[in-house]
Protein backbone atom coordinates (compact mmCIF):
# COMPACT_ATOMS: atom_id res chain seq x y z
CA UNK A 1 0.00 0.00 0.00
CA UNK A 2 1.37 3.41 -0.94
CA UNK A 3 1.92 6.07 1.70
CA UNK A 4 -0.99 8.11 0.31
CA UNK A 5 -3.34 5.11 0.49
CA UNK A 6 -2.19 4.32 4.01
CA UNK A 7 -2.89 7.88 5.13
CA UNK A 8 -6.30 7.82 3.43
CA UNK A 9 -7.18 4.48 4.99
CA UNK A 10 -6.09 5.60 8.44
CA UNK A 11 -8.06 8.84 8.09
CA UNK A 12 -11.21 6.91 7.10
CA UNK A 13 -10.80 4.57 10.07
CA UNK A 14 -10.34 7.50 12.45
CA UNK A 15 -13.47 9.13 11.07
CA UNK A 16 -15.43 5.90 11.55
CA UNK A 17 -14.13 5.51 15.11
CA UNK A 18 -15.24 9.05 15.94
CA UNK A 19 -18.73 8.32 14.63
CA UNK A 20 -18.94 5.24 16.85
CA UNK A 21 -17.87 7.20 19.92
CA UNK A 22 -20.37 9.97 19.17
CA UNK A 23 -23.21 7.42 19.25
CA UNK A 24 -22.33 6.31 22.80
CA UNK A 25 -23.87 9.47 24.27
CA UNK A 26 -27.22 8.33 22.86
CA UNK A 27 -26.78 4.72 23.97
CA UNK A 28 -25.82 5.43 27.58
CA UNK A 29 -29.13 6.86 28.91
CA UNK A 30 -31.14 4.08 27.26
CA UNK A 31 -28.87 1.22 28.34
CA UNK A 32 -28.47 2.55 31.87
CA UNK A 33 -32.24 2.92 32.21
CA UNK A 34 -32.96 -0.59 30.95
CA UNK A 35 -30.51 -2.06 33.47
CA UNK A 36 -32.08 0.02 36.25
CA UNK A 37 -35.56 -1.19 35.32
CA UNK A 38 -34.42 -4.81 35.16
CA UNK A 39 -32.81 -4.46 38.59
CA UNK A 40 -35.84 -2.70 40.07
CA UNK A 41 -38.29 -5.32 38.82
CA UNK A 42 -36.10 -8.23 39.94
CA UNK A 43 -35.10 -9.51 36.52
CA UNK A 44 -31.36 -9.17 37.15
CA UNK A 45 -29.32 -8.86 40.37
CA UNK A 46 -28.35 -5.35 41.36
CA UNK A 47 -24.87 -4.05 40.55
CA UNK A 48 -23.96 -7.08 38.44
CA UNK A 49 -24.14 -5.41 35.02
CA UNK A 50 -23.09 -1.95 33.85
CA UNK A 51 -24.22 0.09 30.89
CA UNK A 52 -20.61 0.84 29.95
CA UNK A 53 -19.70 -2.85 29.93
CA UNK A 54 -22.68 -3.77 27.76
CA UNK A 55 -22.04 -0.94 25.30
CA UNK A 56 -18.34 -1.85 25.09
CA UNK A 57 -19.25 -5.47 24.33
CA UNK A 58 -21.57 -4.32 21.54
CA UNK A 59 -18.97 -2.00 20.06
CA UNK A 60 -16.51 -4.90 19.97
CA UNK A 61 -19.21 -7.01 18.31
CA UNK A 62 -19.71 -4.26 15.72
CA UNK A 63 -16.02 -4.20 14.82
CA UNK A 64 -15.57 -7.96 14.86
CA UNK A 65 -18.70 -8.56 12.77
CA UNK A 66 -17.49 -6.45 9.87
CA UNK A 67 -18.59 -2.95 9.00
CA UNK A 68 -18.68 -0.38 6.24
CA UNK A 69 -15.95 2.10 7.06
CA UNK A 70 -17.80 4.77 5.06
CA UNK A 71 -21.12 4.28 6.88
CA UNK A 72 -22.80 7.47 8.05
CA UNK A 73 -23.52 8.24 11.69
CA UNK A 74 -27.22 7.37 11.42
CA UNK A 75 -26.44 3.89 10.11
CA UNK A 76 -23.91 3.29 12.89
CA UNK A 77 -26.35 4.62 15.49
CA UNK A 78 -29.13 2.21 14.47
CA UNK A 79 -26.69 -0.69 14.21
CA UNK A 80 -25.37 -0.14 17.74
CA UNK A 81 -28.85 0.36 19.18
CA UNK A 82 -29.87 -2.92 17.57
CA UNK A 83 -26.84 -4.72 19.01
CA UNK A 84 -27.49 -3.30 22.49
CA UNK A 85 -31.19 -4.13 22.24
CA UNK A 86 -30.44 -7.74 21.30
CA UNK A 87 -27.76 -8.00 23.99
CA UNK A 88 -30.14 -6.78 26.71
CA UNK A 89 -32.99 -9.01 25.53
CA UNK A 90 -30.74 -12.06 25.66
CA UNK A 91 -29.44 -11.06 29.07
CA UNK A 92 -32.96 -10.64 30.47
CA UNK A 93 -34.06 -13.98 29.02
CA UNK A 94 -31.11 -15.68 30.65
CA UNK A 95 -31.70 -14.08 34.03
CA UNK A 96 -35.45 -14.75 33.94
CA UNK A 97 -34.65 -18.38 33.27
CA UNK A 98 -32.48 -18.60 36.36
CA UNK A 99 -34.89 -16.56 38.46
CA UNK A 100 -37.86 -18.80 37.89
CA UNK A 101 -35.90 -22.06 37.57
CA UNK A 102 -38.10 -23.34 34.76
CA UNK A 103 -37.57 -23.74 31.04
CA UNK A 104 -37.96 -20.64 28.88
CA UNK A 105 -40.89 -22.28 27.11
CA UNK A 106 -42.72 -23.05 30.37
CA UNK A 107 -42.04 -19.56 31.68
CA UNK A 108 -43.43 -17.89 28.56
CA UNK A 109 -46.52 -20.12 28.59
CA UNK A 110 -47.24 -19.16 32.20
CA UNK A 111 -46.72 -15.47 31.44
CA UNK A 112 -49.06 -15.67 28.47
CA UNK A 113 -51.71 -17.35 30.59
CA UNK A 114 -51.44 -14.58 33.18
CA UNK A 115 -51.70 -12.02 30.42
CA UNK A 116 -55.02 -13.46 29.22
CA UNK A 117 -53.47 -13.95 25.78
CA UNK A 118 -52.92 -10.24 25.31
CA UNK A 119 -49.48 -11.11 23.97
CA UNK A 120 -48.10 -13.66 21.55
CA UNK A 121 -44.60 -15.06 21.18
CA UNK A 122 -42.85 -14.56 17.86
CA UNK A 123 -40.14 -16.69 16.28
CA UNK A 124 -37.46 -15.00 18.36
CA UNK A 125 -39.28 -15.74 21.64
CA UNK A 126 -40.17 -12.07 22.06
CA UNK A 127 -43.39 -11.09 23.80
CA UNK A 128 -45.34 -8.97 21.31
CA UNK A 129 -48.49 -6.99 21.99
CA UNK A 130 -51.48 -8.59 20.26
CA UNK A 131 -54.71 -7.14 21.69
CA UNK A 132 -55.83 -4.33 23.95
CA UNK A 133 -54.16 -4.27 27.36
CA UNK A 134 -57.31 -3.50 29.27
CA UNK A 135 -57.54 -6.62 31.42
CA UNK A 136 -53.91 -7.44 32.15
CA UNK A 137 -53.21 -9.22 35.41
CA UNK A 138 -49.43 -9.23 34.96
CA UNK A 139 -47.76 -8.03 38.16
CA UNK A 140 -44.38 -8.54 39.75
CA UNK A 141 -44.63 -5.93 42.48
CA UNK A 142 -47.42 -3.45 41.89
CA UNK A 143 -46.31 -1.28 44.81
CA UNK A 144 -42.73 -1.02 43.61
CA UNK A 145 -41.49 2.56 43.23
CA UNK A 146 -39.17 3.52 40.39
CA UNK A 147 -37.55 6.94 40.29
CA UNK A 148 -36.59 8.68 37.06
CA UNK A 149 -34.45 11.75 36.50
CA UNK A 150 -36.66 14.84 36.39
CA UNK A 151 -36.12 15.52 32.68
CA UNK A 152 -36.72 11.89 31.77
CA UNK A 153 -39.78 11.71 34.00
CA UNK A 154 -41.23 14.66 32.13
CA UNK A 155 -40.48 13.00 28.79
CA UNK A 156 -41.91 9.70 30.01
CA UNK A 157 -45.19 11.26 31.18
CA UNK A 158 -45.50 13.32 28.01
CA UNK A 159 -44.95 10.28 25.79
CA UNK A 160 -47.66 8.33 27.62
CA UNK A 161 -50.06 11.30 27.83
CA UNK A 162 -50.06 11.39 31.64
CA UNK A 163 -48.43 14.78 32.18
CA UNK A 164 -51.07 15.62 34.77
CA UNK A 165 -49.74 12.91 37.07
CA UNK A 166 -48.55 14.52 40.31
CA UNK A 167 -44.87 14.38 41.21
CA UNK A 168 -45.48 12.41 44.40
CA UNK A 169 -47.53 9.85 42.47
CA UNK A 170 -44.99 9.31 39.70
CA UNK A 171 -42.58 6.78 41.30
CA UNK A 172 -45.39 4.37 42.14
CA UNK A 173 -47.08 4.85 38.75
CA UNK A 174 -43.81 4.28 36.91
CA UNK A 175 -43.14 1.21 39.06
CA UNK A 176 -46.52 -0.26 38.16
CA UNK A 177 -45.96 0.48 34.48
CA UNK A 178 -42.74 -1.51 34.36
CA UNK A 179 -44.10 -4.26 36.61
CA UNK A 180 -47.15 -5.19 34.55
CA UNK A 181 -45.72 -4.62 31.08
CA UNK A 182 -43.47 -7.33 29.59
CA UNK A 183 -39.89 -6.16 29.10
CA UNK A 184 -39.92 -6.57 25.33
CA UNK A 185 -42.87 -4.19 25.09
CA UNK A 186 -41.67 -1.58 27.58
CA UNK A 187 -38.47 -1.79 25.54
CA UNK A 188 -40.25 -0.04 22.66
CA UNK A 189 -41.34 2.79 24.94
CA UNK A 190 -37.81 3.17 26.29
CA UNK A 191 -36.25 3.28 22.83
CA UNK A 192 -38.53 6.25 22.18
CA UNK A 193 -38.24 8.05 25.53
CA UNK A 194 -34.70 7.23 26.68
CA UNK A 195 -33.08 6.42 23.34
CA UNK A 196 -34.62 9.50 21.70
CA UNK A 197 -35.44 7.44 18.62
CA UNK A 198 -38.26 8.04 16.17
CA UNK A 199 -40.84 5.33 15.46
CA UNK A 200 -39.27 4.71 12.05
CA UNK A 201 -35.91 4.04 13.69
CA UNK A 202 -37.46 1.75 16.30
CA UNK A 203 -39.17 -0.24 13.53
CA UNK A 204 -35.80 -0.83 11.86
CA UNK A 205 -34.15 -1.86 15.13
CA UNK A 206 -36.96 -4.28 16.03
CA UNK A 207 -37.43 -5.53 12.44
CA UNK A 208 -41.14 -4.80 12.50
CA UNK A 209 -43.33 -2.43 10.53
CA UNK A 210 -43.77 1.22 11.41
CA UNK A 211 -47.51 0.65 11.75
CA UNK A 212 -46.91 -2.12 14.26
CA UNK A 213 -44.69 0.13 16.40
CA UNK A 214 -47.31 2.88 16.32
CA UNK A 215 -50.11 0.45 17.25
CA UNK A 216 -48.13 -1.04 20.14
CA UNK A 217 -47.30 2.41 21.47
CA UNK A 218 -50.90 3.58 21.30
CA UNK A 219 -52.21 0.45 23.01
CA UNK A 220 -49.62 0.80 25.76
CA UNK A 221 -50.74 4.39 26.37
CA UNK A 222 -54.38 3.34 26.63
CA UNK A 223 -53.52 0.45 28.94
CA UNK A 224 -51.38 2.62 31.15
CA UNK A 225 -54.18 5.16 31.56
CA UNK A 226 -56.54 2.34 32.48
CA UNK A 227 -54.07 1.15 35.10
CA UNK A 228 -54.01 4.63 36.63
CA UNK A 229 -57.80 5.00 36.74
Amino acid sequence: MTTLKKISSKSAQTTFDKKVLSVVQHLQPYTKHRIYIAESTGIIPKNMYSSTGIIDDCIIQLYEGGYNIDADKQHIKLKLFKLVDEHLNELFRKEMFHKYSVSTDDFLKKELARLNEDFTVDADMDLILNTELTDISYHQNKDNKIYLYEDKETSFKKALDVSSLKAEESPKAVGRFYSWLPVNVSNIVDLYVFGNLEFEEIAKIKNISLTRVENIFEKVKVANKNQLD
Side-chain angles (χ1 to χ4, degrees):
M1 183 182 291
T2 65
T3 301
L4 182 59
K5 287 183 178 180
K6 287 182 179 179
I7 293 175
S8 177
S9 177
K10 185 176 181 179
S11 175
Q13 183 64 59
T14 300
T15 299
F16 181 85
D17 294 342
K18 288 181 178 179
K19 292 175 184 177
V20 171
L21 290 176
S22 69
V23 172
V24 173
Q25 63 179 314
H26 301 286
L27 283 168
Q28 271 288 2
Y30 167 74
T31 309
K32 190 172 183 179
H33 172 74
R34 289 303 290 173
I35 292 174
Y36 169 59
I37 293 302
E39 290 178 342
S40 300
T41 53
I43 295 174
I44 62 175
K46 291 186 177 181
N47 303 318
M48 181 173 286
Y49 301 97
S50 71
S51 58
T52 300
I54 289 174
I55 292 172
D56 285 348
D57 287 344
C58 291
I59 290 176
I60 291 172
Q61 187 178 347
L62 171 68
Y63 278 92
E64 291 182 342
Y67 57 90
N68 176 10
I69 199 169
D70 296 317
D72 59 27
K73 181 178 176 180
Q74 178 66 8
H75 176 83
I76 296 170
K77 176 183 174 182
L78 293 183
K79 178 64 176 179
L80 278 175
F81 260 104
K82 184 175 180 63
L83 288 173
V84 168
D85 181 62
E86 292 173 347
H87 186 109
L88 289 171
N89 284 341
E90 183 58 32
L91 172 63
F92 296 163
R93 288 192 192 97
K94 180 185 71 175
E95 292 294 346
M96 281 184 180
F97 171 80
H98 291 298
K99 176 181 177 182
Y100 290 95
S101 299
V102 294
S103 70
T104 303
D105 183 59
D106 288 342
F107 168 70
L108 288 174
K109 285 179 180 178
K110 289 180 180 179
E111 290 299 282
L112 290 174
R114 294 170 66 190
L115 287 167
N116 297 321
E117 298 182 347
D118 281 324
F119 293 83
T120 56
V121 179
D122 67 9
D124 295 320
M125 301 300 283
D126 286 338
L127 288 172
I128 301 298
L129 194 62
N130 184 39
T131 58
E132 295 293 344
L133 303 175
T134 53
D135 297 318
I136 281 185
S137 58
Y138 179 91
H139 291 284
Q140 292 179 5
N141 182 357
K142 62 184 180 181
D143 293 321
N144 189 34
K145 293 183 179 180
I146 292 179
Y147 296 87
L148 306 178
Y149 288 110
E150 184 176 354
D151 60 329
K152 291 303 181 182
E153 181 179 313
T154 299
S155 299
F156 179 86
K157 292 194 290 187
K158 182 178 180 181
L160 295 176
D161 292 338
V162 289
S163 297
S164 60
L165 191 66
K166 296 179 180 179
E168 61 271 19
E169 299 173 336
S170 291
K172 191 171 183 178
V174 174
R176 286 184 174 180
F177 175 84
Y178 285 105
S179 291
W180 62 257
L181 197 63
V183 292
N184 287 327
V185 180
S186 65
N187 167 232
I188 290 177
V189 176
D190 287 341
L191 283 169
Y192 180 78
V193 177
F194 296 88
N196 290 317
L197 298 177
E198 300 297 331
F199 287 161
E200 292 87 350
E201 296 173 316
I202 296 173
K204 291 179 181 178
I205 291 170
K206 305 298 288 185
N207 289 326
I208 58 180
S209 69
L210 171 59
T211 300
R212 194 174 187 184
V213 173
E214 292 173 337
N215 288 341
I216 289 173
F217 203 92
E218 286 304 311
K219 289 178 180 179
V220 167
K221 287 198 294 185
V222 171
N224 186 55
K225 287 183 178 180
N226 290 337
Q227 289 284 324
L228 294 175
D229 290 341

